[in-house]
């Protein structure tokens, strides 16, 4: 069914069916604004992402479920990296006439289901027609006590740098996606499925971020959206420090390693420059390492120490095969001509 | 200068210069999320609008200042219609390569200045390149005590319907804009300027909305974004009531009346079906009319009683020249083929 056949009000009605309310939602869709409760004494945490067709995705290559999940997940990952708890989402859509009502229904259904999974109430948004391709704007609102939020700016020389999970899977998944999984050897299909899932359905590390914050274990934190090389630079800039990354300590999945070998690529490049892993990178101060060591197993997720924070003047370097080189940022930067 | 020449990080740096911080902004641009304080005991009020090139505006017809002001103003108007106080804005932009750096600079400068005027801190957002024309998504966050927020759903049969200001000016402004002001008679230039300003720089009725809420004068409220005919229907649907609108009581500006006469049009049509006035329409219960009468002059803005709320079964009607007719909604509805 074409969107034009049903009109805006029926579209909002269909959205409403998939969206949830909780006791914090005093007013959801239907009034001029959503009205939302917050626990008193907490800070409101807000983040937003805009996703534009032909820049962030190609409509013929994604399902509505993938789009909905991932657009929510990348914002949840930002909330996780502050050590905060997500509460509410506002979603704006610009919908071209080529997009079917079924696509929009499936998008909102997945949004509702993912919202339930992560305890986020999708409380409103705006819909418009578009002559410019599909546009998704997501705003995520969360909360955390002021003294517990973890910033990018808290790292100090001497702190250890940790990451959750394995890195580079998403970039490998993107490569499989672009190459076409069906062109790959039958023996690599399992590995291909694994990295594709990691690319399309990244798990936001909400529990981990909140745990680190509430136990005051992390001195700084960022989520890995553009690859270690780019994101460590952001963290270091905000903290006015340098960093030394140990190549041999970067955690890879066995699946990604197998694929990288089959492509004759270095797995390290996927982790350093690949992006979209949405794992957490955080620093732990020397004085907190013991407590961190005692508590880390409660996270039920692999944690790897991949380097250490150094003084700002020492810059950002990569230690590999006993030699030290400058770690250049080569993450994807919007706008810049390459 | 083309956006590609400066890259994303420099773009964010330029944005940052125009944006403001206040004591509530614990973290603004530069971390994964903004972190914002709220007065405890208040509800968070959130609203969002997406504006898409060729749907909501044509780039060759607007200045960056007009775009920035109006995209903020329409969201502030939503906050006003809840009786709430605006606090923070998040702004996402999708920027095509044809848009200059100067345009973006001017957009953010005006956003910063308007933010200052209305006490809103623009605290973050997202920027992306766009192959789909210019896209602006604004999220406005405000607050109000739960017992004071004014909903669309509180109107009861017997309540009086009021509006702020004059109606139909914006629609007349749009007509001047489309016709071209320079094609109009010299004697009409002053009137043309007036309605153009009303169209491009609508004043969000923040003080009025908050005053009505905090004095518990309004039983329901909505902002006039699509014209009286459309918006009274929304309010009635949420309140499960009907309404009777008195054509002779609808307030027109002398400028709009002069222009409508010159076009041989009925000024009433501009007010009922025109939209984008962003005045407030609210209802006052019989028991509160005396108090309202005593306090209304404090608002320093014309207030007009344009009708009354009736039972749902009586529907929505227009009383004109001693005859009653059904008031059909003919506001612009996105998506629907006309």
């Amino acid at each position: 069914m074409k969107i034009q056949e049903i009109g805006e009000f029926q579209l909002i009605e269909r959205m409403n069916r998939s969206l949830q309310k909780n006791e914090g939602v005093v007013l959801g869709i239907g009034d001029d604004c959503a009205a939302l409760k917050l626990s008193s004494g907490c800070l409101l945490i807000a983040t937003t992402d805009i996703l534009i067709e032909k820049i962030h995705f190609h409509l013929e290559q994604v399902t509505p479920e993938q789009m909905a999940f991932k657009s929510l997940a990348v914002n949840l990952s930002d909330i996780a990296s502050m050590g905060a708890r997500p509460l509410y989402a506002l979603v704006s859509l610009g919908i071209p006439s080529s997009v079917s009502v079924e696509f929009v229904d499936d998008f909102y259904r997945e949004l509702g289901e993912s919202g339930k999974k992560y305890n986020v109430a999708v409380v409103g948004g705006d819909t418009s027609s578009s002559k410019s391709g599909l546009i998704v704007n997501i705003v995520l609102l969360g909360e955390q006590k002021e003294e517990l939020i973890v910033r990018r700016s808290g790292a100090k020389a001497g702190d250890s740098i940790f990451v959750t999970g394995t890195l580079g899977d998403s970039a490998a998944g993107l490569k499989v996606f672009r190459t076409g999984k069906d062109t790959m050897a039958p023996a690599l299909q399992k590995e291909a499925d694994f990295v594709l899932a990691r690319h399309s359905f990244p798990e936001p590390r909400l529990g981990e971020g909140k745990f680190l914050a509430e136990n005051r274990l992390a001195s700084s934190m960022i989520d890995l959206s553009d690859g270690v090389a780019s994101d460590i630079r952001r963290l270091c800039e905000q903290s006015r420090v340098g960093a030394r990354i140990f190549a041999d300590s970067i955690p890879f999945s066995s699946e990604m390693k197998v694929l990288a070998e089959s492509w004759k690529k270095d797995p390290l490049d996927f982790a350093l420059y690949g992006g979209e892993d949405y794992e957490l990178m955080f620093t732990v101060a020397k004085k907190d390492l013991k407590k961190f060591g005692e508590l880390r197993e409660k996270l039920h997720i692999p944690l790897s120490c991949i380097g250490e924070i150094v003084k700002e003047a020492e810059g950002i370097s990569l230690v590999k095969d006993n030699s030290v080189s400058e770690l250049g940022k080569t993450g994807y930067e919007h706008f810049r001509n390459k």
Side-chain angles (χ1 to χ4, degrees), chain A residues 196-209:
Chain A
L196 277 172
R198 291 273 288 161
H199 180 70
S200 294
F201 297 99
E203 185 70 28
R205 301 301 184 192
L206 287 164
E208 291 79 6

Side-chain angles (χ1 to χ4, degrees), chain A residues 62-70 106-107 109-110 114 201:
Chain A
V62 290
T63 66
E65 290 81 6
Q66 284 170 337
M67 279 212 62
F69 180 88
K70 194 155 175 180
D106 290 346
F107 180 91
R109 189 180 314 109
E110 174 65 34
S114 301
F201 297 99

Side-chain angles (χ1 to χ4, degrees), chain A residues 154-167:
Chain A
K156 298 265 182 301
D159 291 1
S160 300
I161 305 168
F162 287 85
V163 294
T164 59
T166 54
L167 306 187

Side-chain angles (χ1 to χ4, degrees), chain A residues 292-305:
Chain A
F292 177 68
E294 289 160 11
L295 290 174
R296 62 185 285 178
E297 68 183 19
K298 290 202 178 166
L299 284 175
H300 304 298
I301 189 178
L303 294 172
S304 310
C305 177

Side-chain angles (χ1 to χ4, degrees), chain A residues 49-335:
Chain A
D49 262 311
I50 188 164
L51 301 172
I52 301 171
E53 190 179 337
K54 296 201 179 95
I55 299 287
H56 301 94
F57 60 90
H58 293 270
L59 212 43
E60 62 280 11
Q61 298 177 338
V62 290
T63 66
E65 290 81 6
Q66 284 170 337
M67 279 212 62
F69 180 88
K70 194 155 175 180
S71 52
L72 198 64
V74 302
N75 282 286
L76 288 171
S77 180
D78 275 329
I79 298 283
S81 71
M82 306 287 290
R85 187 165 74 92
L87 288 171
Y88 307 108
L90 291 112
V91 182
S92 296
L93 285 188
I95 311 172
S97 58
S98 57
V99 165
S100 69
V101 173
E102 290 75 15
F103 186 100
V104 177
D105 282 351
D106 290 346
F107 180 91
Y108 278 106
R109 189 180 314 109
E110 174 65 34
L111 210 56
E113 282 171 20
S114 301
K116 217 169 281 173
K117 182 176 172 194
Y118 297 112
N119 270 313
V120 175
V122 185
V123 291
D126 190 20
T127 55
S128 165
S129 49
S130 166
K131 290 190 178 162
S132 332
L134 186 65
I135 302 153
V136 181
N137 192 90
I138 297 222
V139 171
L140 235 299
L141 303 173
E143 64 171 7
Q144 183 53 286
K145 293 198 184 95
E146 182 167 358
E147 64 273 24
L148 294 183
I149 60 168
V150 187
R151 302 154 194 241
R152 290 183 182 173
S153 58
K156 298 265 182 301
D159 291 1
S160 300
I161 305 168
F162 287 85
V163 294
T164 59
T166 54
L167 306 187
D169 297 335
S170 179
L174 185 62
K175 189 169 160 61
V176 170
F177 187 73
R178 287 186 174 155
T179 319
K181 193 190 130 195
D182 41 357
T183 68
M184 293 175 62
L188 295 172
Q189 295 292 311
K190 190 175 68 68
E191 285 77 7
D193 283 338
F194 174 81
V195 294
L196 277 172
R198 291 273 288 161
H199 180 70
S200 294
F201 297 99
E203 185 70 28
R205 301 301 184 192
L206 287 164
E208 291 79 6
K210 200 161 154 277
F211 183 87
L212 291 167
E214 293 179 352
N215 289 286
R216 297 171 192 261
L217 294 170
S219 54
S220 73
M221 186 149 58
I222 191 170
D223 68 324
L224 289 167
S225 56
D226 292 337
V228 169
S230 226
D231 292 322
I232 188 67
R233 190 160 296 270
R234 290 199 175 104
L235 188 143
C236 285
E237 275 169 6
Q238 294 280 322
S239 295
R240 299 178 178 277
V241 293
R244 195 174 295 137
I245 303 292
F246 304 118
D248 290 347
S249 303
I250 292 183
F252 305 130
S253 66
S254 56
E255 290 87 348
M256 193 273 275
K257 275 206 296 200
V258 167
L259 289 171
E261 275 161 31
S262 82
W263 295 324
K264 300 187 175 45
K265 299 268 183 197
D266 186 345
L268 187 64
D269 288 342
F270 288 93
L272 290 180
Y273 308 113
E276 296 210 76
D277 278 320
Y278 298 108
E279 296 291 349
L280 296 176
M281 179 162 66
F282 57 96
T283 55
V284 179
K286 267 210 179 87
K287 67 169 177 57
D288 295 323
L289 277 175
K290 188 163 167 281
K291 187 178 168 195
F292 177 68
E294 289 160 11
L295 290 174
R296 62 185 285 178
E297 68 183 19
K298 290 202 178 166
L299 284 175
H300 304 298
I301 189 178
L303 294 172
S304 310
C305 177
I306 64 160
E308 60 188 15
I309 297 294
V310 296
K311 289 193 183 131
E312 189 172 19
E314 294 180 50
I316 296 172
S317 57
L318 181 72
V319 182
K320 194 184 171 198
D321 304 331
N322 292 320
S323 77
V324 181
S325 53
E326 202 191 319
L327 180 57
K329 169 190 74 183
T330 349
Y332 177 57
E333 187 186 343
H334 282 298
F335 301 118

